[in-house]
Amino acid sequence: MIDLLQVSPLPPFLLERLQAEYRVHDFVDPKDADKLLDEVGSRIRGILAGGMKGPNANLINRLENLEIIASFSVGYDATDVVAAHARGVIVTHTPEVLTGDVADLAMTFILMTSRRIGESERFLRSGKWLKGRMDLGTTIKGKRLGILGLGRIGKAVARRAEAFGLQIQYHDIKPLGDLPYRSYPTLVELAEVSDILLVTCEGGEANRGIVNAEVLDALGPNGFLINTARGPIIDQPALVKALVEGRIAGAGLDVFDGEPEVPAELLTMENVVLTPHIASSTHETRRAMGDLVYDNLKAHFSGKPVLTPVPKQV
Ligand code: 8YV
């Protein structure tokens, strides 16, 4: 049996399927990491990672027979891909299969923040409707949606948003060729001309804190910020401050810097929609992500090319 090291929590159906064919060593929260690695490290040929927990360079370099890291996520910022590729270790992720669900949540946030759905629900449940009417929301038709990172997920949100009558524009570090949407050279310029700013770019060090106070001020007091990507892309203290001071209108957030901790100020704000990193959390998508992790490992250990490798990082 091939030995795998599991560094991230995984759904039970995937774990059971893998355990039937591989020897899976639990390294999610090891009591004595060194002892376990001394015992099994040299036998490990694969790592099972996730979007929030992946191997760092130390771990990758300690496993001399490591061949593959399979991540149960589309985002691979938790894994040191540069260190893996430097050693010729393959890294796989789960693109495409979760795009629709993540885009659906982003669209839901756009509607929830502008139409004040969460606040309206709390208004009704708390009995306030018996004393008066709920305040008005904002129409989304005709508003400008700025998308930061027009990749697979960004494009899927754009298609949905077009059906709701939103105007789409974007900022991306890569030239994206012929698209029906206007591109802005900087994030600040995009925010300046957006009513809603959606964060769907990659996480990782290069994008840490790029949605900063200047970007939030460019979005302005009538603007909504939506994040379904990674928490650290937003300068979180700057976001909290902008919300407290009314310098932006509201936010829809599925991810947080330091999650599952969430800044206390956000918990009591009416104009903020908060979900616990659920963008890909459907039975169907989690099953498809698990199947892809399994299929990537199967392909690799059968001597075939993996299905969804992470692009080469140097
Ligand atoms: C998962 C994610 O919740 O795919 C990603 O990048 O962040 C989510 O789909 C997470 O990766 C589970 O490990």
Side-chain angles (χ1 to χ4, degrees), residues 27-312:
F27 201 67
V28 179
D29 219 349
K31 280 198 193 68
D32 193 340
D34 277 324
K35 187 165 171 272
L36 184 69
L37 292 179
D38 284 346
E39 275 163 27
V40 301
S42 62
R43 299 210 303 270
I44 299 295
R45 293 174 64 192
I47 288 182
L48 299 164
M52 305 313 291
K53 258 185 153 185
N56 60 18
N58 280 346
L59 182 58
I60 290 167
N61 291 327
R62 183 154 171 185
L63 305 173
E64 66 260 37
N65 292 313
L66 183 64
E67 297 166 30
I68 182 168
I69 300 166
S71 190
F72 180 76
S73 62
V74 63
Y76 41 81
D77 47 300
T79 289
D80 193 331
V81 181
V82 174
H85 284 171
R87 277 216 22 224
V89 171
I90 296 166
V91 185
T92 68
H93 65 145
T94 62
E96 312 284 358
V97 293
L98 46 61
T99 300
D101 275 341
V102 179
D104 287 350
L105 186 74
M107 197 61 228
T108 304
F109 277 163
I110 293 170
L111 288 161
M112 282 189 77
T113 50
S114 57
R115 298 300 306 276
R116 304 171 69 165
I117 305 298
E119 188 180 349
S120 292
E121 232 223 345
R122 288 188 289 276
F123 184 88
L124 183 154
R125 285 176 190 267
S126 64
K128 286 189 187 156
W129 194 17
L130 299 169
K131 294 174 202 128
R133 298 282 302 180
M134 167 73 197
D135 283 346
L136 305 184
T138 303
T139 297
I140 61 166
K141 187 172 175 216
K143 297 292 185 311
R144 301 156 303 173
L145 172 65
I147 302 182
L148 168 58
L150 199 65
R152 283 177 289 256
I153 294 169
K155 284 184 187 140
V157 181
R159 285 194 295 275
R160 284 158 176 75
E162 275 180 300
F164 282 87
L166 283 153
Q167 281 175 49
I168 316 297
Q169 47 208 18
Y170 70 97
H171 166 69
D172 200 294
I173 45 162
K174 298 181 286 295
L176 295 177
D178 215 12
L179 283 170
Y181 313 127
R182 182 155 175 196
S183 161
Y184 284 82
T186 68
L187 179 51
V188 171
E189 283 167 90
L190 177 71
E192 256 160 17
V193 294
S194 297
D195 302 297
I196 301 156
L197 183 64
L198 167 67
V199 179
T200 57
C201 61
E202 282 178 20
E205 276 315 304
N207 287 344
R208 177 176 288 277
I210 56 171
V211 179
N212 55 20
E214 189 189 359
V215 172
L216 296 170
D217 283 329
L219 182 59
N222 296 319
F224 294 99
L225 179 72
I226 311 290
N227 189 5
T228 52
R230 286 288 183 262
I233 299 166
I234 297 176
D235 175 344
Q236 199 161 268
L239 171 62
V240 170
K241 194 161 184 284
L243 284 163
V244 167
E245 293 171 0
R247 286 165 29 237
I248 66 167
L253 308 169
D254 185 48
V255 286
F256 304 87
D257 195 356
E259 64 188 53
E261 302 286 336
V262 174
E265 295 95 323
L266 296 181
L267 302 178
T268 52
M269 283 179 188
E270 286 291 4
N271 53 341
V272 173
V273 179
L274 308 169
T275 51
H277 202 147
I278 57 156
S280 70
S281 300
T282 63
H283 295 292
E284 295 85 348
T285 289
R286 286 302 167 91
R287 174 70 58 176
M289 289 166 70
D291 289 348
L292 199 44
V293 168
Y294 176 90
D295 291 344
N296 272 313
L297 290 167
K298 188 86 184 161
H300 174 73
F301 290 117
S302 316
K304 298 193 189 108
V306 293
L307 284 76
T308 48
V310 165
K312 187 86 188 145

